[in-house]
């Protein structure tokens, strides 16, 4: 897959993730929503940054393996929310990919196939 295809697939997934998250708001009481203000703000920040950002193709392709990449990055974002946005997002993406913890802690997309499985051997 090229960068545009990866980003198109990731944007579609992020859109679905955000829609599902926002739909949950309708079933939540106002007092609970107020308590989730930081999470809601982080969700919107991460969505906007990943949807419109220009990060490494490796990071974006890695996120495709998750059913809910928005949740994966948001949770790390909240934990690392001390640096400037672009520096912090790169650090968050690197941490997610480097530790591999997200693969254990979050549901993987059953339909995702790494590009290497669909392609034969390629020469550089």
């Amino acid at each position: 897959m090229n960068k545009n295809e990866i980003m198109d697939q990731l944007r579609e997934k992020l859109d679905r993730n955000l829609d599902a998250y926002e739909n949950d708001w309708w079933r939540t009481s106002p007092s609970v929503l107020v308590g989730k203000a930081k999470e809601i703000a982080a969700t919107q920040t991460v969505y906007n940054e990943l949807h419109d950002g220009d990060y490494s193709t490796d990071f974006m392709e890695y996120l495709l393996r998750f059913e809910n990449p928005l949740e994966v990055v948001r949770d790390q974002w909240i934990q690392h929310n001390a640096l400037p946005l672009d520096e912090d997002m790169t650090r968050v993406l690197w941490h997610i990919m480097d530790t591999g913890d997200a693969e254990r802690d979050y549901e993987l997309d059953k339909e995702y196939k790494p590009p290497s499985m669909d392609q034969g051997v390629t020469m550089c």
Side-chain angles (χ1 to χ4, degrees):
M1 277 190 286
N2 66 38
K3 184 173 184 170
N4 289 334
E5 292 169 330
I6 290 168
M7 286 308 300
D8 287 346
Q9 285 186 11
L10 184 60
R11 284 184 184 113
E12 287 177 23
K13 211 174 249 198
L14 291 169
D15 290 344
R16 284 193 311 267
N17 297 157
L18 186 62
D19 287 345
Y21 186 73
E22 289 176 344
N23 285 333
D24 285 342
W25 295 351
W26 298 111
R27 295 185 295 271
T28 305
S29 70
S31 61
V32 171
L33 284 175
V34 169
K36 290 183 147 198
K38 184 176 181 178
E39 178 184 295
I40 292 167
T43 300
Q44 193 63 52
T45 297
V46 167
Y47 171 83
N48 290 336
E49 190 64 21
L50 292 178
H51 199 274
D52 302 332
D54 187 25
Y55 293 97
S56 161
T57 303
D58 291 339
F59 289 146
M60 301 301 99
E61 186 173 19
Y62 181 79
L63 291 176
L64 282 175
R65 70 184 56 210
F66 297 100
E67 185 66 34
N68 192 336
L70 183 60
E71 178 185 32
V72 172
V73 179
R74 184 218 39 229
D75 290 352
Q76 285 297 313
W77 174 260
I78 290 170
Q79 290 181 14
H80 292 81
N81 196 10
L83 299 172
L85 182 61
D86 61 341
E87 184 180 333
D88 200 19
M89 184 62 70
T90 298
R91 182 177 179 185
V92 165
L93 294 170
W94 178 87
H95 179 78
I96 290 168
M97 196 167 151
D98 183 58
T99 64
D101 291 344
E103 293 178 34
R104 181 191 66 230
D105 297 337
Y106 295 91
E107 184 177 356
L108 296 173
D109 184 347
K110 294 169 189 71
E111 296 179 19
Y112 172 76
K113 291 182 187 174
S116 60
M117 294 177 76
D118 297 325
Q119 303 170 359
V121 176
T122 57
M123 300 297 243
C124 297

